[in-house]
Amino acid sequence: DALDQFSSKNTFLVHEPLAATLGLGLDIKEPEGKLVVDIGGGITEVVIISLSGIAAFQSIRVGGDTFDEEIQDYFRRVYNLSIGLKTAERIKKEIGCVYSPVSLETVFAQVKGKDLMEGIPTNRVIAQPELTQVLERPFKQIETCIQQSLEICPPELSSDIYRSGIYVTGGNAQLKGISERLEKTFQLPVHIDTEPLLAVSKGIAKILAAPQKYRSILL
């Protein structure tokens, strides 16, 4: 809809996971299977890519927004403290962690909000291990989604993934402890994107630079 506003000669669409995979610097044309997990704001997409196509795809409506809402709900239930979504997002970015063994009691964040009982502004301190417990439930759902993708993965691609591992991108790939937790859960190597917020745009830039080369993935 946004592109229709411009008088471009041609308009093409590309699957977001394919663009993210290109942005990660991977070759999508190879026959070897690659497992990519894109933890975005609204959803998490898990794809297995081979020969410029999607061999398996799972998505779940759990992402950064879910983490923020979970933090917001936790403060309301446990501390009778009302905080905004922007505050919840800031806490997540500052000390967000999804794996207990790497979370530290010495790392904490100041949280300002409104006391629901008194109606007055107040603040609290939350330590990283406590926040790790808050993020446990939504991240467990992401793990289940990855598990389901591995279950439906064609056998010949499974051996490739066993060798190459899991690639994680998307804004919420920056949460602490993701690689350690996924490595422990799936016994696979885990690669975290160094610029996860830019993966899709970098992938699209590659396609725009050589549209003929990637014609097979354009819709």
Side-chain angles (χ1 to χ4, degrees):
D1 290 348
L3 291 171
D4 284 341
Q5 297 174 39
F6 303 96
S7 55
S8 57
K9 192 190 289 184
N10 295 303
T11 300
F12 296 104
L13 300 177
V14 62
H15 283 294
E16 190 177 336
L18 287 173
T21 306
L22 281 170
L24 277 161
L26 302 175
D27 185 354
I28 61 172
K29 293 190 171 188
E30 290 177 343
E32 287 80 18
K34 297 170 183 66
L35 176 62
V36 178
V37 180
D38 184 350
I39 310 174
I43 62 171
T44 294
E45 294 174 309
V46 183
V47 289
I48 294 167
I49 290 166
S50 172
L51 292 168
S52 298
I54 294 172
F57 174 83
Q58 294 277 321
S59 75
I60 183 172
R61 292 197 70 81
V62 174
D65 297 344
T66 314
F67 293 135
D68 300 342
E69 287 161 12
E70 201 77 22
I71 294 167
Q72 202 180 24
D73 183 56
Y74 177 78
F75 275 94
R76 191 183 297 114
R77 283 185 296 104
V78 177
Y79 296 118
N80 281 319
L81 187 68
S82 175
I83 64 170
L85 278 172
K86 282 191 174 173
T87 302
E89 185 182 20
R90 177 183 62 78
I91 300 161
K92 178 190 72 180
K93 285 179 177 176
E94 281 181 14
I95 64 166
C97 181
V98 294
Y99 189 49
S100 294
V102 300
S103 59
L104 302 167
E105 287 283 359
T106 52
V107 177
F108 52 86
Q110 288 274 354
V111 186
K112 294 177 181 176
K114 184 175 80 172
D115 189 307
L116 289 169
M117 304 291 281
E118 306 285 336
I120 57 173
T122 184
N123 71 42
R124 278 203 160 271
V125 172
I126 184 168
Q128 199 171 50
E130 187 178 357
L131 192 65
T132 303
Q133 295 303 314
V134 179
L135 301 179
E136 170 63 30
R137 190 183 67 84
F139 198 80
K140 186 73 181 166
Q141 291 176 281
I142 291 173
E143 280 186 326
T144 303
C145 188
I146 298 170
Q147 181 70 49
Q148 288 168 349
S149 297
L150 289 168
E151 285 170 4
I152 62 172
C153 175
E156 61 273 18
L157 299 182
S158 289
S159 58
D160 297 335
I161 292 166
Y162 182 77
R163 191 168 56 253
S164 64
I166 301 170
Y167 294 89
V168 185
T169 188
N172 291 277
Q174 295 166 309
L175 286 170
K176 199 170 185 294
I178 287 182
S179 59
E180 293 90 342
R181 177 164 176 164
L182 293 182
E183 279 172 7
K184 184 175 186 297
T185 304
F186 298 107
Q187 303 295 303
L188 293 170
V190 176
H191 315 279
I192 306 289
D193 191 355
T194 52
E195 294 182 301
L197 287 164
L198 304 178
V200 174
S201 54
K202 285 197 295 188
I204 290 170
K206 279 189 179 178
I207 296 166
L208 285 170
Q212 289 303 321
K213 183 180 176 183
Y214 297 108
R215 194 153 192 82
S216 61
I217 66 168
L218 297 176
L219 306 175

